[in-house]
Amino acid sequence: MKKKSYLSLYFLSLLCMIVALLPACKKNADVGSSVPPVITSIKSYVASPNDTVLHSAVAMGQWIVITGQNLQNATQIYFDGVSAPFNGALFAPGSAVVQIPNIQYAKIDTAKLYTVKYVTTAGSTTFSFKLGPAAPAVWTISNIYANPGDSVYVYGANLFFVRSFSYRGTAIPSFKLDTNGTSIGFLMPAATNNDRVLVTTKIGAVNFKLIATPVIAGISNENANPGDSVYIYGSYLKNIQKLTFAGTPVTSYSSSKDGSYVGFVLPTLTQSGPVSVTTEFGTGTTVYNVHDLVHGIIANMENDKWGMIGWDGGSQVTGNPANAQSWLPYNPDFPGNTSNFAVLKTNILQPGEGYGNGWPPDYQLAFDKEQWIPQANLGDSIQNYALKFEISIPKAWNGGALNIEVNGNNTFIYRWEPWKKSGTTTVAYTTKGWMTLTVPFTEFRKTDLDLGDGKGVPMTKFSDILDSSGNGTCYIWLHNYGGFATATGFYGAFDNLRVVKIK
């Protein structure tokens, strides 16, 4: 019994000690809830050794670790004044894991930029942290040809907090910023005197040089006659200071509003040569000559470049108006050509009908083997060359592909179907007299058993279509690949087949 009394006294003493310690434990636990937070650093939320101290954020949405003291009882965390959602389970007295929120810089209070504000039940602290947009960038201008007072936009990135903006040497005091930082809207000033766009923001500055050198992408008719209307297509073809065609000055011309083309009446030419357009931004010149019926000619139905293997029925050669003969009469349906040319005519084509599938050969033009490029140039990149010819289609054409086949045996084909529009929509196609059709060799594709004619792999080198001497053949024919009869037949003329270096 005496031993039991000793045990009772021991447990009673232990209970008293626990009760005495309880207030002290509670006091220690409450320390963090009564002292304001302190931030000492912000680190990357990546396992060591990559959890380095950050002085700026990589991107919105990035996970970071805020380190310091008394961080466990957070009520709000702000990045650049924007509240960030968080999970308190990821917090401890010395650290807090949080994701940087999505920030719309166009709407924030700039006084709070580059700050992290941490709020707990005991107070708050603000920590300097560089979180903001990157340096500004300018990419392009909506319309460099706008008239004074017209609305214009400069497009780029990080166009926030703009402090100053000038367009081509003229300060723009009033402008409108896109909320996504992708554009600056303004009214075209009355005067400009250089090629620079300057934007200065709170973050940095950009000095953008306008690149608006004229680009010539195509010419409506490279072998037009004097007095014919000719169009040059491309970009930045406006405010022209000088224009020459085959070395001959063109003094009267008219440009489209957006600078995508310039039209003029062709003057009398005395030589072949390139086309050149000069503006205040520079000069654009073709690498090839126009009015050139000598270099690269495969067939033009004239003398040593006759080219045609034969013709009958739907295909024929027509003579020039000055030398028409009974066996080679002139065809008045194709005015504007003073030389011989070939004509191809078909009736309405039924599904699957057309040369290349057992149908009559009079639905094709066949050109004999001829030197396409010098043997020394067989290794050149085909990206630099194109097959060109003049074509005239005076009557509506709707349905059937005009196949341009190089090397024969359905090897490499380009299918021209200009009447095709989006979806199943078609629009009857005609030309306004003669025009030049340019087909880069990269557009010729091999016939595929599953995909069809001209739908397989593209041509990659000249040896795909030419022999070791640089010689090749060409066939032009119609085929109806549709499930219904064509709406019309085809009636068109061809001249001056040639290989031209375009780059």
Side-chain angles (χ1 to χ4, degrees):
M1 296 294 293
K2 187 175 181 180
K3 183 176 181 180
K4 183 177 180 180
S5 298
Y6 286 142
L7 289 173
S8 299
L9 290 173
Y10 171 75
F11 284 113
L12 181 61
S13 299
L14 182 60
L15 179 60
C16 291
M17 290 176 62
I18 293 173
V19 172
L21 288 172
L22 282 176
C25 292
K26 185 176 186 300
K27 183 176 181 180
N28 289 336
D30 289 343
V31 170
S33 62
S34 61
V35 179
V38 175
I39 298 176
T40 56
S41 67
I42 294 178
K43 295 183 178 181
S44 175
Y45 183 56
V46 181
S48 179
N50 296 316
D51 54 346
T52 54
V53 174
L54 298 176
H55 300 288
S56 62
V58 175
M60 289 180 285
Q62 178 184 2
W63 286 89
I64 61 168
V65 180
I66 299 174
T67 63
Q69 295 91 43
N70 311 315
L71 303 175
Q72 70 273 34
N73 295 315
T75 58
Q76 294 285 344
I77 303 175
Y78 298 95
F79 290 84
D80 292 345
V82 177
S83 179
F86 56 84
N87 183 357
L90 301 177
F91 291 6
S95 65
V97 178
V98 64
Q99 187 178 26
I100 296 174
N102 183 39
I103 300 173
Q104 293 182 286
Y105 291 115
K107 298 180 179 181
I108 70 170
D109 180 353
T110 56
K112 297 177 181 179
L113 185 67
Y114 297 159
T115 65
V116 175
K117 184 177 181 181
Y118 200 100
V119 183
T120 69
T121 55
S124 66
T125 186
T126 299
F127 185 77
S128 294
F129 183 61
K130 193 173 183 179
L131 171 62
V138 172
W139 298 332
T140 188
I141 313 300
S142 63
N143 185 4
I144 63 172
Y145 305 118
N147 295 317
D150 288 349
S151 294
V152 183
Y153 292 88
V154 168
Y155 295 106
N158 304 309
L159 300 174
F160 300 106
F161 319 132
V162 175
R163 291 176 170 173
S164 65
F165 167 51
S166 68
Y167 179 77
R168 300 187 62 190
T170 299
I172 309 297
S174 178
F175 48 83
K176 184 178 181 180
L177 300 177
D178 173 71
T179 57
N180 295 316
T182 58
S183 69
I184 303 176
F186 63 102
L187 298 181
M188 179 64 77
T192 57
N193 53 36
N194 63 34
D195 58 3
R196 298 288 173 167
V197 177
L198 306 178
V199 181
T200 302
T201 72
K202 184 179 177 70
I203 315 303
V206 59
N207 184 339
F208 177 76
K209 177 180 173 62
L210 284 172
I211 305 297
T213 304
V215 175
I216 300 174
I219 299 165
S220 63
N221 188 351
E222 296 176 9
N223 289 297
N225 296 315
D228 289 346
S229 293
V230 177
Y231 293 88
I232 299 172
Y233 300 101
S235 54
Y236 306 120
L237 303 173
K238 196 172 175 68
N239 297 338
I240 296 172
Q241 298 174 342
K242 182 181 179 182
L243 190 159
T244 62
F245 192 93
T248 299
V250 178
T251 57
S252 179
Y253 41 77
S254 179
S255 294
S256 63
K257 289 183 179 180
D258 60 358
S260 62
Y261 67 84
V262 55
F264 54 92
V265 174
L266 188 67
T268 299
L269 305 179
T270 59
Q271 61 186 6
S272 63
V275 175
S276 178
V277 177
T278 300
T279 72
E280 60 182 306
F281 294 103
T283 299
T285 304
T286 60
V287 299
Y288 56 87
N289 290 340
V290 295
H291 194 57
D292 184 354
L293 298 179
V294 176
H295 300 94
I297 295 292
I298 298 172
N300 59 11
M301 285 55 76
E302 308 284 343
N303 301 321
D304 62 328
K305 292 295 184 179
W306 182 268
M308 291 287 292
I309 294 175
W311 66 94
D312 59 2
S315 60
Q316 67 178 86
V317 172
T318 180
N320 67 66
N323 299 314
Q325 303 176 46
S326 59
W327 66 276
L328 197 63
Y330 172 67
N331 190 329
D333 291 341
F334 305 94
N337 191 329
T338 58
S339 66
N340 299 338
F341 52 86
V343 175
L344 181 61
K345 182 178 182 179
T346 76
N347 297 317
I348 289 175
L349 299 177
Q350 298 302 315
E353 186 177 4
Y355 185 80
N357 196 24
W359 294 91
D362 58 3
Y363 279 4
Q364 75 156 338
L365 298 176
F367 298 94
D368 203 0
K369 180 174 282 191
E370 183 60 70
Q371 184 88 34
W372 285 37
I373 61 171
Q375 188 177 24
N377 295 105
L378 277 171
D380 288 2
S381 171
I382 66 166
Q383 295 183 357
N384 298 334
Y385 290 82
L387 179 68
K388 296 190 177 202
F389 55 85
E390 273 68 62
I391 186 170
S392 176
I393 305 174
K395 296 182 179 180
W397 169 36
N398 192 340
L402 182 71
N403 287 352
I404 305 166
E405 179 185 348
V406 291
N407 196 37
N409 299 319
N410 291 340
T411 305
F412 288 91
I413 294 173
Y414 173 75
R415 284 164 55 164
W416 190 44
E417 301 166 299
W419 45 265
K420 269 189 175 180
K421 300 302 176 183
S422 59
T424 59
T425 303
T426 66
V427 176
Y429 180 81
T430 59
T431 65
K432 294 181 179 180
W434 289 85
M435 59 164 272
T436 300
L437 181 63
T438 299
V439 186
F441 281 110
T442 52
E443 296 296 318
F444 286 93
R445 306 183 75 89
K446 202 165 189 178
T447 293
D448 186 277
L449 292 178
D450 296 320
L451 301 176
D453 295 342
K455 295 294 185 180
V457 298
M459 174 183 164
T460 59
K461 55 187 182 300
F462 277 121
S463 59
D464 289 336
I465 63 168
L466 304 179
D467 64 21
S468 59
S469 298
N471 297 321
T473 58
C474 182
Y475 302 87
I476 299 176
W477 43 282
L478 267 293
H479 191 95
N480 181 11
Y481 294 98
F484 303 93
T486 59
T488 70
F490 174 87
Y491 187 43
F494 304 78
D495 201 4
N496 307 323
L497 274 77
R498 57 197 183 276
V499 176
V500 178
K501 189 171 184 180
I502 57 175
K503 294 182 182 179

XYZ file of all heavy atoms in Angstrom, residues 214-223 229-237 243-245 259-264 274-277 284-290 386 388-390 435-440 498 500 502-503:
407
model
N 10.556 48.195 -102.428
C 9.599 47.586 -103.358
C 9.940 46.130 -103.661
O 11.114 45.778 -103.844
C 9.735 48.453 -104.612
C 10.247 49.758 -104.121
C 11.140 49.440 -102.969
N 8.900 45.303 -103.688
C 9.048 43.886 -104.007
C 8.216 43.588 -105.262
O 7.015 43.868 -105.282
C 8.575 42.992 -102.849
C 8.631 41.517 -103.245
C 9.418 43.240 -101.601
N 8.848 43.042 -106.279
C 8.147 42.667 -107.513
C 7.912 41.171 -107.481
O 8.861 40.378 -107.567
C 8.958 43.072 -108.753
C 9.187 44.591 -108.761
C 8.248 42.624 -110.026
C 10.102 45.065 -109.883
N 6.648 40.767 -107.341
C 6.304 39.350 -107.262
C 5.876 38.776 -108.591
O 5.968 37.559 -108.805
C 5.194 39.141 -106.229
N 5.384 39.609 -109.491
C 4.928 39.115 -110.780
C 4.576 40.241 -111.723
O 4.391 41.393 -111.298
N 4.482 39.923 -112.994
C 4.149 40.899 -114.035
C 3.048 40.294 -114.891
O 3.123 39.118 -115.289
C 5.382 41.235 -114.882
C 6.465 41.856 -113.978
C 5.039 42.177 -116.023
C 7.837 41.898 -114.600
N 2.026 41.084 -115.170
C 0.862 40.545 -115.865
C 1.213 39.986 -117.235
O 0.707 38.937 -117.637
C -0.216 41.629 -115.995
O 0.252 42.718 -116.786
N 2.070 40.668 -117.985
C 2.475 40.185 -119.306
C 3.895 40.651 -119.578
O 4.137 41.829 -119.838
C 1.530 40.695 -120.387
C 1.795 40.055 -121.743
O 2.777 39.360 -121.935
N 0.900 40.301 -122.691
N 4.834 39.713 -119.496
C 6.241 40.054 -119.662
C 6.608 40.326 -121.114
O 7.684 40.875 -121.392
C 7.111 38.928 -119.110
C 6.945 38.716 -117.610
C 7.748 37.535 -117.096
O 8.567 36.990 -117.867
O 7.554 37.152 -115.935
N 5.742 39.917 -122.032
C 6.024 40.113 -123.461
C 4.880 40.849 -124.145
O 4.469 40.501 -125.260
C 6.282 38.758 -124.131
C 7.607 38.157 -123.714
O 8.663 38.719 -123.984
N 7.560 37.027 -123.036
N -1.956 47.361 -121.724
C -1.954 47.621 -120.281
C -1.150 46.534 -119.581
O -1.354 45.335 -119.821
C -3.383 47.640 -119.731
O -4.096 48.742 -120.235
N -0.238 46.946 -118.728
C 0.624 46.016 -117.996
C 0.527 46.340 -116.504
O 0.421 47.518 -116.125
C 2.092 46.121 -118.471
C 2.992 45.202 -117.642
C 2.197 45.768 -119.947
N 0.562 45.289 -115.682
C 0.511 45.467 -114.228
C 1.701 44.762 -113.590
O 2.029 43.627 -113.954
C -0.791 44.918 -113.650
C -2.012 45.701 -114.080
C -2.681 45.384 -115.259
C -2.476 46.763 -113.316
C -3.791 46.115 -115.673
C -3.581 47.499 -113.718
C -4.228 47.167 -114.892
O -5.324 47.897 -115.297
N 2.323 45.440 -112.645
C 3.374 44.854 -111.815
C 2.753 44.575 -110.456
O 2.176 45.469 -109.835
C 4.574 45.807 -111.677
C 5.182 46.104 -113.044
C 5.630 45.208 -110.753
C 6.243 47.186 -113.005
N 2.884 43.334 -109.979
C 2.296 42.939 -108.703
C 3.392 42.727 -107.661
O 4.504 42.301 -107.995
C 1.479 41.655 -108.859
C 0.338 41.775 -109.849
C 0.463 41.268 -111.146
C -0.841 42.412 -109.507
C -0.574 41.387 -112.063
C -1.879 42.533 -110.419
C -1.742 42.022 -111.688
O -2.769 42.148 -112.589
N 3.067 43.017 -106.416
C 4.036 42.810 -105.339
C 3.634 43.565 -104.096
O 2.465 43.559 -103.696
N 4.572 44.236 -103.486
C 4.296 45.014 -102.281
C 5.165 46.275 -102.251
O 6.223 46.322 -102.893
C 4.552 44.176 -101.016
O 5.856 43.624 -101.024
N 4.674 47.284 -101.545
C 5.349 48.591 -101.419
C 5.535 49.273 -102.780
O 6.515 49.983 -103.010
C 6.700 48.447 -100.711
C 6.622 47.761 -99.381
C 7.325 46.581 -99.132
C 5.820 48.278 -98.366
C 7.238 45.945 -97.902
C 5.727 47.647 -97.137
C 6.433 46.479 -96.914
O 6.348 45.845 -95.698
N 4.575 49.048 -103.668
C 4.639 49.649 -105.003
C 3.805 50.930 -105.028
O 2.818 51.044 -105.751
C 4.141 48.650 -106.052
C 4.881 47.310 -106.101
C 4.197 46.343 -107.067
C 6.336 47.515 -106.511
N 10.286 54.237 -112.526
C 9.871 52.909 -112.976
C 10.423 52.674 -114.367
O 10.265 53.524 -115.258
C 8.347 52.789 -112.973
C 7.717 51.405 -113.190
C 6.288 51.380 -112.647
C 7.686 51.006 -114.669
N 11.094 51.524 -114.559
C 11.582 51.165 -115.886
C 11.133 49.746 -116.222
O 11.048 48.882 -115.346
C 13.114 51.244 -115.986
O 13.700 50.317 -115.062
C 13.609 52.641 -115.673
N 10.850 49.520 -117.503
C 10.422 48.215 -117.995
C 11.333 47.848 -119.151
O 11.358 48.541 -120.176
C 8.965 48.269 -118.460
C 8.333 46.938 -118.718
C 7.614 46.284 -117.729
C 8.449 46.330 -119.963
C 7.022 45.057 -117.971
C 7.862 45.103 -120.213
C 7.154 44.457 -119.220
N -0.505 49.632 -102.341
C 0.815 49.397 -102.917
C 1.035 47.982 -103.402
O 2.183 47.576 -103.600
N -0.051 47.223 -103.658
C 0.103 45.831 -104.088
C 0.281 45.704 -105.596
O 0.658 44.632 -106.074
C -1.103 44.998 -103.641
O -2.295 45.489 -104.241
N 0.010 46.764 -106.342
C 0.268 46.710 -107.777
C 0.381 48.127 -108.337
O -0.082 49.097 -107.745
C -0.816 45.936 -108.524
C -2.182 46.577 -108.549
C -2.513 47.553 -109.500
C -3.160 46.221 -107.627
C -3.761 48.144 -109.527
C -4.421 46.804 -107.641
C -4.715 47.767 -108.599
O -5.959 48.364 -108.612
N 1.006 48.210 -109.517
C 1.092 49.460 -110.263
C 0.807 49.132 -111.721
O 1.321 48.147 -112.262
C 2.474 50.134 -110.093
C 3.605 49.198 -110.463
C 2.553 51.415 -110.909
N -0.060 49.922 -112.346
C -0.441 49.682 -113.733
C -0.012 50.817 -114.632
O 0.084 51.972 -114.203
N 0.231 50.507 -115.922
C 0.660 51.521 -116.877
C 0.439 50.991 -118.288
O 0.164 49.798 -118.501
C 2.132 51.871 -116.677
C 3.056 50.672 -116.715
C 3.656 50.261 -117.895
C 3.309 49.940 -115.559
C 4.495 49.164 -117.939
C 4.143 48.838 -115.590
C 4.735 48.443 -116.772
N 15.535 44.042 -117.242
C 14.741 43.818 -116.025
C 13.676 44.891 -115.833
O 13.647 45.897 -116.542
C 15.787 43.881 -114.911
C 16.846 44.793 -115.450
C 16.887 44.528 -116.938
N 12.816 44.660 -114.876
C 11.837 45.655 -114.430
C 12.342 46.214 -113.110
O 12.775 45.466 -112.224
C 10.446 45.019 -114.247
C 9.465 46.037 -113.670
C 9.934 44.478 -115.569
N 12.264 47.524 -112.958
C 12.808 48.170 -111.769
C 11.826 49.215 -111.238
O 11.271 50.000 -112.028
C 14.156 48.830 -112.095
O 14.688 49.499 -110.977
N 11.615 49.225 -109.921
C 10.749 50.205 -109.272
C 11.519 50.839 -108.117
O 12.053 50.130 -107.248
C 9.463 49.551 -108.730
C 8.608 50.588 -107.997
C 8.665 48.906 -109.859
N 13.498 47.970 -106.093
C 13.265 46.554 -106.319
C 13.419 46.253 -107.795
O 12.866 46.965 -108.649
N 14.178 45.198 -108.120
C 14.474 44.873 -109.510
C 14.338 43.372 -109.734
O 14.751 42.574 -108.888
C 15.907 45.310 -109.880
O 16.059 46.708 -109.604
C 16.195 45.058 -111.345
N 13.764 42.979 -110.856
C 13.679 41.556 -111.179
C 15.068 41.029 -111.538
O 15.897 41.758 -112.088
C 12.733 41.310 -112.357
O 13.221 42.008 -113.508
C 11.322 41.781 -112.035
N 15.307 39.745 -111.211
C 16.584 39.137 -111.593
C 16.525 38.637 -113.029
O 17.551 38.278 -113.601
C 16.942 37.969 -110.651
C 17.079 38.459 -109.224
C 15.900 36.862 -110.736
N 15.332 38.605 -113.609
C 15.155 38.146 -114.979
C 14.803 39.319 -115.888
O 14.386 40.390 -115.428
C 14.049 37.086 -115.053
C 12.725 37.538 -114.488
C 11.789 38.211 -115.280
C 12.404 37.304 -113.152
C 10.578 38.632 -114.763
C 11.195 37.721 -112.615
C 10.284 38.385 -113.423
O 9.088 38.811 -112.899
N 14.965 39.106 -117.187
C 14.625 40.122 -118.177
C 13.224 39.897 -118.725
O 12.752 38.759 -118.840
C 15.615 40.092 -119.340
C 16.993 40.586 -118.945
O 17.133 41.287 -117.943
N 18.001 40.223 -119.714
N 12.556 40.984 -119.041
C 11.288 40.923 -119.769
C 11.552 41.318 -121.217
O 12.631 41.803 -121.555
C 10.237 41.856 -119.133
C 9.879 41.386 -117.735
C 10.730 43.306 -119.099
N 11.720 28.911 -112.670
C 10.293 28.698 -112.932
C 10.087 28.427 -114.412
O 10.895 28.838 -115.265
C 9.480 29.921 -112.513
N 7.703 29.429 -117.440
C 6.807 30.537 -117.767
C 6.287 30.389 -119.190
O 6.950 29.817 -120.056
C 7.519 31.890 -117.639
C 7.985 32.259 -116.231
C 8.437 33.710 -116.175
C 8.844 34.103 -114.764
N 8.777 35.546 -114.555
N 5.102 30.939 -119.405
C 4.584 31.080 -120.766
C 3.449 32.098 -120.755
O 2.863 32.398 -119.712
C 4.116 29.741 -121.354
C 3.103 29.000 -120.533
C 1.746 29.268 -120.627
C 3.514 27.991 -119.665
C 0.814 28.576 -119.878
C 2.586 27.279 -118.913
C 1.238 27.570 -119.014
N 3.149 32.631 -121.934
C 2.016 33.536 -122.081
C 0.783 32.696 -122.421
O 0.871 31.708 -123.161
C 2.267 34.574 -123.167
C 3.001 35.814 -122.674
C 4.433 35.553 -122.283
O 5.233 35.148 -123.125
O 4.748 35.726 -121.071
N -1.570 37.034 -120.848
C -0.935 37.216 -119.547
C 0.181 36.191 -119.398
O 0.219 35.170 -120.098
C -1.934 37.029 -118.403
C -2.611 35.666 -118.366
S -3.413 35.293 -116.787
C -2.046 34.559 -115.884
N 1.110 36.466 -118.491
C 2.209 35.554 -118.219
C 1.864 34.676 -117.024
O 1.517 35.182 -115.951
C 3.507 36.327 -117.926
O 3.850 37.121 -119.068
C 4.650 35.374 -117.605
N 1.945 33.366 -117.213
C 1.748 32.414 -116.123
C 3.113 31.920 -115.670
O 3.912 31.443 -116.495
C 0.883 31.236 -116.576
C 0.574 30.178 -115.502
C -0.245 30.791 -114.371
C -0.169 28.987 -116.109
N 3.388 32.052 -114.371
C 4.666 31.637 -113.797
C 4.429 30.454 -112.872
O 3.648 30.546 -111.927
C 5.313 32.788 -113.011
O 5.560 33.885 -113.890
C 6.629 32.349 -112.378
N 5.117 29.335 -113.132
C 5.001 28.142 -112.289
C 6.385 27.788 -111.759
O 7.216 27.225 -112.483
C 4.418 26.945 -113.068
C 4.186 25.769 -112.120
C 3.126 27.327 -113.767
N 6.681 28.115 -110.489
C 7.972 27.710 -109.919
C 8.125 26.191 -109.979
O 7.149 25.450 -109.806
C 7.886 28.215 -108.470
C 6.860 29.306 -108.505
C 5.860 28.885 -109.539
N 9.197 28.895 -121.645
C 10.582 29.200 -121.335
C 10.911 28.865 -119.883
O 10.024 28.822 -119.021
C 10.878 30.677 -121.582
C 9.994 31.646 -120.798
C 10.066 33.053 -121.412
N 9.298 34.042 -120.649
C 7.990 34.251 -120.799
N 7.278 33.511 -121.648
N 7.379 35.188 -120.102
N 13.026 30.249 -116.698
C 13.537 31.564 -116.278
C 14.063 31.471 -114.853
O 13.440 30.860 -113.967
C 12.416 32.624 -116.343
C 12.942 33.976 -115.867
C 11.870 32.736 -117.752
N 14.319 33.046 -111.461
C 13.493 34.053 -110.800
C 14.091 34.547 -109.483
O 13.580 35.490 -108.891
C 12.074 33.489 -110.529
C 12.156 32.210 -109.693
C 11.350 33.256 -111.843
C 10.795 31.661 -109.279
N 15.152 33.902 -109.003
C 15.798 34.348 -107.763
C 17.304 34.375 -107.962
O 17.857 33.613 -108.761
C 15.482 33.383 -106.605
C 14.028 33.363 -106.193
C 13.845 32.421 -105.033
C 12.390 32.332 -104.606
N 12.179 31.401 -103.480
